[in-house]
Amino acid sequence: MTTVTSSTRTQVAIVGGGPAGLMLSHLLHVAGIESVVLDHRTYDEIATTHRAGILERDSVRLLVDSGASDRVLTDGHEHQGIDLRFGGESHRIDFQKYVGASCWLYPQTEVFIDLHAARTRDAGDLRYGISGAEVHEVGASSTGPRVTYLDPEGARHEVTAELVVGADGSRSICRDLVEPRTQYFREYPFAWFGVLVEAPTSAPELIYTRGEQGFALISQRTADVQRMYFQCDPSENPADWSDDRIWEQLQGRVAGPDGFRLNEGPVIDKSVLPFRSFVQTPMRHGRLLLAGDAAHTVPPTGAKGLNLALADVRVLAEVIERTVSKGEAEALDTYTDRALARVWKAQHFSYWMTTMLHQLPESTPFDERRQLGELATLVASEAGKTYLAEGYTGWPDRG
Ligand code: DHB
């Protein structure tokens, strides 16, 4: 084994330097707690991977109030509603009217860039592009958990800490250390084909549409670049899709008697996004805590993934501060239940939005008419629209 070339002692070792890991490191710094952030990916890899673009009200508040990002308010766009479109007709869900809240269009890559800048400004210890990270001795009786890894030059390092946080995403190495653990899964028989296109905006707000050929989502990035998705088979290969074929699918799914059409332009990025629901419990094992995708994944409909990770981190920063700074060791015991209460709400919301709007390959004519019946009930009901608006803008955290 290569000898250890450096050994760092810190209070919290955070495995994963995406938005969840960086936000936690930032909140701990504000509370006077030191951390080291480790990630296998490089800064550029994370900053250029397209992810979802919608922030709930409390995610925006957290970024702004903690001093992590002002840009979300200046460069982000407030959205006061969405359009649900089915049977070729649009129905606006007015978030301000029903719940007095908005969400913000601000891509996850920008959230990452802002958080990274905040940690760099505050001299945070961030180590990207590492390999072979291993987490040791996190069990309840452990007094000193450690993370070992190789730096980009291949030298071996060690970080010892009071606590380790696994914010290492859907391919987490940390989640497997939780013993015993229960995992809940749901697979879906479809995926999303995601594109970035160079075209003017087609509508002022996001459009979630159930077309005869399946679901599509019309989102935005800037005045000149738009983000769009359509339901596809999980085995689709993006290379098989010409621009013309992509536009035909998108136009077909939004088409209706009102003659609505999308503004077209060159496709500058295309990929197939997997769909699944996953939860692992508990989210804590001894001195190890999990946050974000390491513990749960939602299907993308409704953009809950990043918001849920930030909600985990808000609770986690608080319980870590009580444990590390105030000696309240029992605070960690509350983490799993507090985090999972919101996780299961978001699991249901994402599942509901998904199954209400997508065409299931096995669905019968009865299923399709029932689905249209559900959508018609929703948009005709103040209670229904309020329910959607509450979930979409994010349930207020009363904890
Ligand atoms: C976006 C992605 C989503 O999954 C969603 O529900 C809304 C917006 C986006 O990438 O813009």
Side-chain angles (χ1 to χ4, degrees):
M1 187 185 288
T2 335
T3 49
V4 172
T5 50
S6 88
S7 185
T8 309
R9 178 132 202 104
T10 189
Q11 289 174 289
V12 183
I14 302 174
V15 184
L22 287 178
M23 178 53 105
L24 179 66
S25 178
H26 173 68
L27 293 175
L28 293 177
H29 168 75
V30 170
I33 297 169
E34 281 177 12
S35 63
V36 173
V37 177
L38 304 165
D39 202 299
H40 284 179
R41 298 164 299 174
T42 62
Y43 174 89
D44 287 340
E45 275 166 43
I46 305 176
T48 56
T49 305
H50 301 296
R51 306 294 290 268
I54 289 288
L55 294 178
E56 293 174 356
R57 167 188 39 194
D58 283 352
S59 299
V60 174
R61 263 192 205 142
L62 185 67
L63 284 164
V64 174
D65 293 353
S66 71
S69 172
D70 298 329
R71 240 170 28 99
V72 59
L73 296 179
T74 53
D75 297 7
H77 295 276
E78 181 181 355
H79 281 234
Q80 300 194 345
I82 55 165
D83 248 4
L84 270 192
R85 196 171 161 84
F86 57 95
E89 278 179 34
S90 282
H91 304 265
R92 180 162 191 262
I93 312 284
D94 185 335
F95 300 153
Q96 280 296 334
K97 175 173 171 191
Y98 294 112
V99 292
S102 296
C103 54
W104 267 258
L105 184 94
Y106 192 64
Q108 181 165 330
T109 42
E110 302 302 317
V111 175
F112 168 73
I113 289 167
D114 291 354
L115 285 166
H116 187 276
R119 288 309 292 127
T120 305
R121 171 195 73 200
D122 296 336
D125 189 338
L126 312 178
R127 307 181 188 184
Y128 286 90
I130 63 150
S131 59
E134 283 179 39
V135 178
H136 314 267
E137 291 164 57
V138 291
S141 57
S142 160
T143 48
R146 283 180 302 126
V147 185
T148 53
Y149 67 91
L150 303 176
D151 70 21
E153 282 72 47
R156 190 173 158 86
H157 301 266
E158 176 182 79
V159 177
T160 58
E162 291 169 47
L163 296 170
V164 176
V165 173
D168 51 342
S170 55
R171 292 193 206 95
S172 173
I173 57 159
C174 294
R175 80 158 73 100
D176 296 344
L177 301 173
V178 175
E179 298 270 8
R181 56 182 179 269
T182 305
Q183 298 187 327
Y184 302 90
F185 285 103
R186 190 183 205 285
E187 304 289 341
Y188 299 82
F190 44 75
W192 274 7
F193 198 103
V195 293
L196 270 183
V197 301
E198 253 168 24
T201 311
S202 291
E205 291 175 344
L206 270 57
I207 304 172
Y208 287 80
T209 180
R210 179 202 180 278
E212 289 306 312
Q213 306 143 310
F215 172 83
L217 166 59
I218 311 305
S219 183
Q220 312 166 353
R221 284 297 175 264
T222 64
D224 314 309
V225 175
Q226 314 308 324
R227 181 77 166 144
M228 303 184 188
Y229 306 91
F230 60 89
Q231 174 184 354
C232 70
D233 190 273
S235 64
E236 287 296 348
N237 177 2
D240 296 339
W241 285 77
S242 66
D243 286 17
D244 284 349
R245 194 172 165 212
I246 289 169
W247 282 115
E248 193 187 306
Q249 280 298 322
L250 286 165
Q251 297 288 16
R253 290 175 195 212
V254 299
D258 61 2
F260 178 71
R261 290 208 34 102
L262 299 166
N263 291 320
E264 296 189 11
V267 175
I268 54 177
D269 189 85
K270 49 188 172 182
S271 59
V272 173
L273 286 73
F275 253 67
R276 95 193 167 123
S277 302
F278 165 70
V279 178
Q280 173 169 308
T281 184
M283 288 170 66
R284 176 213 171 184
H285 174 70
R287 293 175 173 271
L288 172 71
L289 300 119
L290 303 177
D293 282 2
H296 43 74
T297 308
V298 288
T301 328
K304 283 282 166 262
L306 171 61
N307 292 295
L308 210 45
L310 294 178
D312 282 354
V313 161
R314 198 160 48 216
V315 177
L316 192 50
E318 184 210 303
V319 297
I320 291 179
E321 188 187 353
R322 282 169 53 199
T323 305
V324 170
S325 307
K326 301 184 184 143
E328 296 174 27
E330 67 287 356
L332 291 184
D333 298 339
T334 65
Y335 175 60
T336 294
D337 287 349
R338 283 179 63 188
L340 283 184
R342 190 182 190 91
V343 165
W344 280 111
K345 284 184 183 173
Q347 284 293 352
H348 172 66
F349 184 79
S350 307
Y351 163 92
W352 175 63
M353 289 278 283
T354 298
T355 51
M356 183 167 66
L357 289 162
H358 288 69
Q359 298 268 6
L360 293 155
E362 73 271 20
S363 68
T364 63
F366 171 85
D367 296 327
E368 295 192 8
R369 279 159 185 76
R370 185 209 58 77
Q371 206 177 28
L372 288 167
E374 179 176 13
L375 284 159
T377 315
L378 174 74
V379 300
S381 157
E382 304 289 291
K385 287 186 277 197
T386 305
Y387 178 76
L388 192 150
E390 274 170 355
Y392 200 95
T393 57
W395 310 275
D397 183 7
R398 298 187 212 286

